[in-house]
Amino acid sequence: MNGGIRLGSVAGIEVRMDWSLLVIFLLILVSLGAGTFPALHPQWALATSWATALVAAVLFFASVFLHELSHALVGRVYGITVRRITLFIFGGLAHMENEPRHWRGELLMALAGPVTSLALGVGFLLLGGLALGPEGLDPERPRESLARMSPVATLLFWLGPVNLILGVFNLVPGFPLDGGRVLRAVMWGITGNLRRATRWASRAGQGFAWLLILSGVALLLGARLPVLGAGPVNGLWLAFIGWFLHTAALASYRQLLVREALHDIPVRRLMQPDPVAVSPDTTLRALADGPFEETGQRVFPVVEGGRMVGLVGWPEVRARDRGMWDRVRVVEVMVPEERVARLAPGQEAEEALAVLTRAGVNQLPVVEDGRVLGLLRRRDLLHWVALHGDPELADLERGG
C-alpha cells in the first residue's frame, strides 16, 4: 500500500488514500443517496439526499482516520513507530514499523482505536439528540419521527451507530483486528513470549476469518443468518472480508518471524560490498551500454570526489528519449543525494527492511561518512531469511 493518493500529514504521520477506498466510498454514497435517505425522507429534494450522503461518506472515513490516528499516537508514546496511515477498502491501516517493546504498550495501542470509535459513536448520538430538539423521537411512531429529522440529525444518527459497530467489530479477538492485538497483548503478558502470543492470536484470527467465509457461503446458498441477514451480495461481501482477514492474520505472523530472523544482523553482513559507481559526467549511453549490461546492479551510486552525490537507476535513464542518451549526463537525471534514502553499515537488517518498504524500493546504498560501502537489496534480506529463518516460516509459505 505504498501507492494511492497522498492526502497530507498529521502530527508527522503521512496520510494516504488507497484507490480501493473509492469502491466503498461509492457504495456508501449510492446506498445512502439513492436508497436509505430517500426512503426515510420522501419529502427531501434529490439534491438534499445526495448531499447528505456525500457528507456522511466523508465523515465516515474521517472517523476511520481518527480511529487509526489514535493507534499511531498512543503507539508513539510506547516506542512503536507509525509513519503512515492508509485509508482503504476495509477502513484504515496504521503501518507499524516495529513490534511493541512491552505487552502494555501493545494493549493500550490496540484499545485506543475501538475506544475512539465508541466515543465517536456515543458523541454523534448525543449530538443527534440535541439536533432533534425538544420533540425528540416518538417511540410510538418512530417512522414519522425519523421522517421529520433534519439532514443534520439524520447524518448524526447514521454516523453514531456506524461508529459503534466499527468499534465493536474491531474488538473481535481475531488478529490482526484490534481485538486480536488485545488478545496477543494479554497472552504476551501471561506467557512472556511474543512469538507464542502472536501464533495464538493469528490462529484466532484465522478461525474468525473462516467463520466469516463459511457464513458467506451459507448466504450464497440461500440461508438466512441472525444479524448477517441473507442474499448473495451479503454472502460475497462476508466471504471477501473473511478471505482478507485470513490472509492478514497469516501475513502478520510471517512478518514477526521475518523480523526475528533479521534481528541483530548488521547491514554490513548482508550488503553487496564495493558496488560499481558512476561519475556525474557519464552519459546515459555509456551507462546503458556499460555498467547496466556488464553488472547485475539495478541502481548505481553517483560518486564525485569519493563521496556520493546521487543515485541513478533504469527508471531515470528510461525517462529520457534514447536519441538524447549521447548528450544527456547522469547528473541531469539522477536522484540527488539529499533525496536518497540510505542505510548505515551497523544498522540492523530488521530496520533496513522497514526502510526499504517505506521508500518503496528494492535496493538502497549503504553509506558511511559520505562514502558508499555497499548496496543492500531486498532479495539479500529474503535470501538470509530463507537460509536462517525459523523452519515454521517455510511451513507457512508452503501452507499459506
Side-chain angles (χ1 to χ4, degrees):
M1 289 190 180
N2 291 319
I5 302 172
R6 187 180 187 279
L7 300 180
S9 179
V10 177
I13 301 168
E14 182 186 28
V15 183
R16 302 190 73 88
M17 183 188 80
D18 187 74
W19 295 108
S20 64
L21 179 68
L22 295 176
V23 176
I24 194 67
F25 184 87
L26 290 173
L27 282 174
I28 293 174
L29 180 63
V30 172
S31 64
L32 293 180
T36 303
F37 291 163
L40 283 175
H41 305 283
Q43 77 279 12
W44 281 8
L46 190 61
T48 302
S49 293
W50 282 99
T52 308
L54 178 61
V55 175
V58 171
L59 289 181
F60 169 72
F61 284 104
S63 301
V64 172
F65 165 69
L66 291 175
H67 176 114
E68 298 301 330
L69 182 63
S70 66
H71 282 312
L73 295 179
V74 173
R76 179 182 289 177
V77 173
Y78 291 93
I80 303 166
T81 303
V82 178
R83 299 183 191 272
R84 189 172 76 255
I85 291 173
T86 302
L87 303 178
F88 71 116
I89 191 169
F90 290 114
L93 179 66
H95 300 263
M96 295 169 52
E97 294 190 2
N98 58 299
E99 292 290 344
R101 298 170 185 170
H102 195 274
W103 68 268
R104 290 188 184 88
E106 166 93 320
L107 179 64
L108 293 175
M109 180 181 179
L111 286 172
V115 168
T116 298
S117 293
L118 293 173
L120 286 172
V122 172
F124 283 132
L125 289 176
L126 290 175
L127 290 174
L130 293 175
L132 280 177
E135 293 184 3
L137 285 174
D138 185 350
E140 296 182 1
R141 292 181 295 177
R143 191 162 188 83
E144 288 81 352
S145 296
L146 290 173
R148 289 197 307 269
M149 284 197 306
S150 67
V152 171
T154 300
L155 180 64
L156 292 170
F157 274 105
W158 182 82
L159 287 168
V162 164
N163 274 279
L164 292 176
I165 291 170
L166 179 64
V168 172
F169 177 77
N170 271 278
L171 284 173
V172 170
F175 199 70
L177 293 175
D178 298 335
R181 292 193 173 275
V182 170
L183 174 64
R184 182 172 81 156
V186 172
M187 292 297 100
W188 186 5
I190 293 172
T191 66
N193 188 310
L194 176 59
R195 182 196 291 193
R196 188 183 305 167
T198 305
R199 184 191 302 121
W200 290 347
S202 176
R203 287 175 179 170
Q206 293 171 58
F208 179 65
W210 275 112
L211 179 63
L212 291 180
I213 292 171
L214 293 175
S215 298
V217 171
L219 295 186
L220 285 170
L221 295 176
R224 175 177 289 275
L225 300 176
V227 180
L228 301 177
V233 174
N234 284 350
L236 283 173
W237 192 239
L238 274 178
F240 186 44
I241 293 175
W243 168 81
F244 174 82
L245 289 178
H246 185 273
T247 303
L250 280 174
S252 298
Y253 187 44
R254 283 195 196 103
Q255 186 179 53
L256 176 67
L257 295 179
V258 168
R259 285 174 172 169
E260 285 189 346
L262 297 174
H263 185 64
D264 282 339
I265 305 299
V267 163
R268 66 167 59 88
R269 186 170 178 180
L270 304 182
M271 71 181 186
Q272 303 296 309
D274 303 320
V276 174
V278 297
S279 164
D281 293 325
T282 304
T283 65
L284 299 191
R285 178 72 64 191
L287 177 62
D289 293 345
F292 267 118
E293 284 193 0
E294 298 166 2
T295 72
Q297 287 181 215
R298 307 306 301 163
V299 297
F300 295 88
V302 183
V303 175
E304 186 174 38
R307 301 182 67 85
M308 186 179 76
V309 296
L311 200 69
V312 65
W314 187 246
E316 288 77 39
V317 176
R318 187 176 53 191
R320 293 300 181 98
D321 185 87
R322 285 178 179 268
M324 301 176 61
W325 282 6
D326 289 314
R327 300 189 300 276
V328 178
R329 297 177 302 152
V330 164
V331 69
E332 299 175 54
V333 301
M334 71 180 187
V335 180
E337 181 270 341
E338 61 270 16
R339 288 173 46 203
V340 175
R342 81 284 307 277
L343 302 168
Q347 204 166 352
E348 279 193 15
E350 177 187 0
E351 185 181 351
L353 180 59
V355 176
L356 283 165
T357 302
R358 186 166 65 246
V361 296
N362 289 316
Q363 57 277 307
L364 284 174
V366 182
V367 182
E368 187 174 54
D369 297 328
R371 296 182 299 111
V372 180
L373 304 183
L375 283 175
L376 183 71
R377 304 171 298 182
R378 189 184 299 269
R379 64 181 180 180
D380 298 326
L381 298 173
L382 297 180
H383 182 65
W384 174 269
V385 171
L387 290 177
H388 303 279
D390 193 288
E392 188 177 4
L393 183 59
D395 293 339
L396 283 173
E397 295 294 340
R398 285 193 294 270

